[in-house]
Amino acid sequence: MGTMRVYISGKIGEEVLSDATRQKFAEAEAYLREWDFEVFNPTTSGLGLRAEELARENGTDFYTEIMKLDLAELAWCDAIYMLTDWTDSPGAKREYAEASKLGLAIWYEDNKEVYGELQ
């Protein structure tokens, strides 16, 4: 088995990312990389521009298109890492539901001791 790919899920709720949002995702990414995981960080994925193009082309909106792109990335992951604030985010709740449906491992930022099993 190759390196596990982990998707970070949490509250973003803004098209222009705040420093606080960037920082909490960056901290989660750094933590997961310590375990040698490959990490999908939606705040640094670069998919925002594609979502804007698709919204224009499809007559939809940014949120609709970024969710489709992010959920497509999630399908390539082995696990999802739920940040503490995920329950405040409709998008993160959708990602959680999709991860459950796909049978991914679901890890929680506020329950770090579970990673001991992975060594």
Side-chain angles (χ1 to χ4, degrees), residues 31-101:
Y31 172 72
L32 291 165
R33 288 195 187 280
E34 286 175 23
W35 293 85
D36 292 325
F37 295 130
E38 189 181 321
V39 178
F40 177 80
N41 179 342
T43 67
T44 58
S45 69
L47 293 175
L49 291 174
R50 182 70 187 127
E52 288 171 13
E53 288 171 12
L54 288 167
R56 280 194 301 274
E57 289 168 17
N58 298 333
T60 56
D61 58 71
F62 177 83
Y63 178 78
T64 298
E65 299 301 339
I66 198 69
M67 283 307 302
K68 283 196 257 181
L69 293 170
D70 286 348
L71 291 171
E73 288 295 328
L74 180 63
W76 291 100
C77 293
D78 303 292
I80 189 168
Y81 184 73
M82 308 305 300
L83 298 181
T84 307
D85 61 6
W86 76 273
T87 54
D88 298 331
S89 164
K93 287 179 181 175
R94 279 179 66 190
E95 291 164 350
Y96 174 86
E98 185 69 12
S100 299
K101 195 169 80 179

